[in-house]
Amino acid sequence: MSKLQGAGLKPLAHSVSAKVRCPHPAEKLSYNAMKPGSAIEIVRQLRLKGHEAYLVGGCVRDMVMKLEPSDYDIATSALPEEVISIFPRTEAIGAQFGVILVIHRGHPYEVATFRSDEAYVDGRRPTGVVFTDAKQDVQRRDFTINGLLYDPIEERVIDYVSGQEDIDARIVRAIGDPRQRFQEDKLRILRAIRFGARLGYTIEPATWQAVCEMAPQIHQVSAERIREELVRILTEGQAAHGMRMLEESGLRAQILPELEWAANIEKSLEMVKRDAPADFAIGVLLHEVAPARAAQVVERLKCSRSEMHHINALVESLPVFARIAMMNTSSVKRFFRLQRFEDHLELARIHSTVCGAGRNGYELAVQKYRAWTPDDIAPPPLVTGEDLIALGYSPGPIFKEILNRVEDEQLEGRLSGRDQALAFAVKHYPRVNS
Ligand code: ATP
Ligand code: MG
């Protein structure tokens, strides 16, 4: 700790070769239009106290690309304790790395002291950090496109890593030696592919070579982080492109050995919409894997219980669509009661579009599903256990059978009212004592 705090090296002046680009008026407009309001106020307050402060990382990349940033991170020369003393509401979320969460107007902003990372031991985390200056801070960041600073007061981008050129050329390039950077933190291997896929960028050849060479080391990253990156690759747009890069780099074989990569899967992923739910996207990815093996994958990736349930249901239930024409009405209605059935339908649509072959029951399913109301599919029961007790039945396993049978009849449309249903029960299940 003393090293961290004592490491408050005085921020060095910006002496060197940063490419400062002042946006021309049109660009200024678009930055303003995005108005990172509160983040700018935080920067301003830090400056008023004599510190350097900038917007940094993904938000600057997005602003340069004229996309709306999802959040705004701030990098500053102020030490963590100084940040804490300046703002009334803070949380020391990553104090050991110099990251303080500033809550401003109800929104959290990460304010990180300029730092460089010390040696990495476990392929994921540095052993410590040294507080430095803005130029060194961007050197520890992963890709040039993520290494830009933005001065919102003077409205200029500060670029020590030629990130703007790479944005213009649509390239993901590691900052520094890619092999070394991936050696330090293996998560960056997956992040390269995530940004490449999401932005539709090419991965620069040396960076790509390092991704391929180091794919077998991805296991140093926890299953949770692998899942998070995989989900983001699948749901942030261009999932098919992302998965193809995972395949070509050898990463797919490492993280998803159960999946046989095929043109069908790639075409299916092309139909996954941006921002699709994570479990649905994984379901599409795994829909041709045998259910037992798909279950192993979601277990290994440590998906949540509800995600596991949904993914397994998607994979297991897909073949049912092909049998709908042969199923009786009550079974079809019960099938339609699966949670989030719309997802099942969408996977069946994707599958049948890709496979062509007879549309695999998808159209019949849609036709029936649209024709029925929720009450047709899951009507209130005509008979309850209490009714059976009142009729003189003794509670036991037979109750379930009777209630199911009555419900079958109801779903088939052969029973309409309660009296009819009670009469049906009595007729088909004679009471022991009567
Ligand atoms: P997104 O829009 O997906 O959030 P982002 O670029 O903001 O993208 P974050 O994960 O939020 O990504 O990280 C913020 C910034 O921190 C990055 O832009 C990058 O500069 C830096 N960063 C994040 N993770 C790493 C890492 N593993 N190695 C090096 N730098 C990283
Ligand atoms: Mg971010």
Side-chain angles (χ1 to χ4, degrees):
M1 196 66 197
S2 64
K3 173 156 59 173
L4 300 174
Q5 284 175 345
L9 303 181
K10 271 193 93 190
L12 308 173
H14 282 151
S15 47
V16 262
S17 70
K19 286 181 198 148
V20 172
R21 185 168 84 176
C22 295
H24 39 82
E27 279 180 301
K28 260 188 197 176
L29 252 183
S30 68
Y31 290 155
N32 288 341
M34 285 163 199
K35 249 200 166 164
S38 293
I40 296 183
E41 276 183 47
I42 294 174
V43 168
R44 190 167 279 125
Q45 291 196 37
L46 287 161
R47 296 274 180 93
L48 281 174
K49 300 283 178 188
H51 304 289
E52 266 186 272
Y54 305 102
L55 302 184
V56 68
C59 64
V60 186
R61 175 199 67 222
D62 291 344
M63 286 160 70
V64 170
M65 292 177 68
K66 303 195 168 42
L67 301 173
E68 177 132 27
S70 53
D71 50 20
Y72 294 89
D73 295 330
I74 294 146
T76 180
S77 59
L79 293 172
E81 55 271 28
E82 291 171 323
V83 175
I84 290 170
S85 72
I86 292 171
F87 298 97
R89 282 191 65 199
T90 57
E91 280 172 37
I93 49 162
Q96 75 272 36
F97 298 116
V99 184
I100 301 294
L101 204 63
V102 171
I103 322 284
H104 194 73
R105 298 185 193 278
H107 293 286
Y109 296 85
E110 279 188 21
V111 178
T113 305
F114 298 143
R115 69 173 206 248
S116 50
D117 295 333
E118 294 197 319
Y120 281 71
V121 273
D122 58 357
R124 229 0 307 267
R125 278 174 298 264
T127 42
V129 301
V130 179
F131 295 137
T132 53
D133 63 357
K135 184 177 181 224
Q136 289 191 49
D137 181 274
V138 294
Q139 304 301 323
R140 68 156 177 96
R141 294 174 183 272
D142 48 6
F143 306 108
T144 60
I145 56 172
N146 291 344
L148 299 171
L149 297 160
Y150 181 63
D151 177 340
I153 314 292
E154 293 188 22
E155 297 188 354
R156 54 184 196 142
V157 174
I158 301 165
D159 184 359
Y160 292 107
V161 292
S162 301
Q164 291 176 109
E165 273 168 35
D166 284 340
I167 290 176
D168 291 343
R170 303 170 62 81
I171 287 173
V172 177
R173 180 197 310 269
I175 294 175
D177 173 20
R179 220 170 274 121
Q180 189 197 326
R181 303 310 313 284
F182 293 163
Q183 197 68 48
E184 292 167 352
D185 178 359
K186 308 297 182 322
L187 186 68
R188 293 171 187 157
I189 302 172
L190 281 173
R191 283 173 61 90
I193 289 187
R194 162 150 75 86
F195 287 113
R198 166 166 122 194
L199 305 173
Y201 280 21
T202 315
I203 301 183
E204 174 272 331
T207 304
W208 175 250
Q209 209 185 331
V211 167
C212 300
E213 277 175 27
M214 299 180 70
Q217 298 181 41
I218 199 63
H219 303 289
Q220 286 182 28
V221 176
S222 71
E224 289 87 343
R225 297 308 295 268
I226 291 179
R227 184 200 62 236
E228 269 171 34
E229 289 299 320
L230 178 66
V231 162
R232 296 187 72 169
I233 290 169
L234 292 172
T235 60
E236 289 186 347
Q238 317 198 63
H241 178 46
M243 278 306 302
R244 193 174 342 107
M245 284 194 282
L246 286 182
E247 175 64 22
E248 287 169 0
S249 62
L251 278 161
R252 197 277 311 148
Q254 296 296 328
I255 62 178
L256 294 167
E258 298 85 350
L259 175 71
E260 232 170 88
W261 184 245
N264 274 359
I265 307 293
E266 185 167 342
K267 284 192 207 135
S268 302
L269 290 172
E270 276 164 15
M271 280 182 260
V272 173
K273 297 191 181 82
R274 182 185 289 258
D275 294 330
D279 45 11
F280 172 73
I282 298 179
V284 175
L285 179 68
L286 299 180
H287 77 270
E288 290 198 342
V289 176
R293 303 204 84 200
Q296 283 169 3
V297 175
V298 293
E299 188 86 43
R300 187 180 62 247
L301 291 177
K302 297 204 163 70
C303 293
S304 72
R305 286 277 138 210
S306 82
E307 285 173 338
M308 275 188 205
H309 180 82
H310 194 51
I311 298 164
N312 291 339
L314 284 167
V315 176
E316 280 164 19
S317 307
L318 183 60
V320 177
F321 282 87
R323 300 199 292 270
I324 282 182
M326 280 99 73
M327 283 159 61
N328 55 31
T329 302
S330 54
S331 306
V332 176
K333 287 182 175 172
R334 286 209 166 90
F335 177 52
F336 287 177
R337 289 182 199 171
L338 279 170
Q339 275 175 22
R340 294 165 60 194
F341 188 72
E342 298 281 344
D343 280 358
H344 290 267
L345 218 44
E346 177 61 2
L347 175 58
R349 183 186 74 82
I350 290 174
H351 184 58
S352 63
T353 309
V354 169
C355 299
R359 311 281 285 170
N360 297 335
Y362 163 71
E363 277 175 354
L364 182 59
V366 179
Q367 203 186 318
K368 286 181 183 287
Y369 190 67
R370 304 270 179 254
W372 287 329
T373 65
D375 249 18
D376 292 332
I377 292 169
L382 292 173
V383 173
T384 64
E386 277 159 29
D387 292 326
L388 297 182
I389 293 171
L391 282 175
Y393 290 95
S394 314
I398 191 73
F399 267 39
K400 196 169 168 209
E401 193 185 321
I402 301 174
L403 296 175
N404 255 331
R405 178 88 188 274
V406 170
E407 193 186 37
D408 274 347
E409 294 298 306
Q410 181 186 9
L411 294 173
E412 295 291 343
R414 292 195 284 258
L415 292 179
S416 51
R418 184 165 176 274
D419 292 345
Q420 232 188 343
L422 292 174
F424 177 89
V426 171
K427 180 173 168 209
H428 291 272
Y429 295 91
R431 284 156 291 185
V432 181
N433 302 328
S434 59

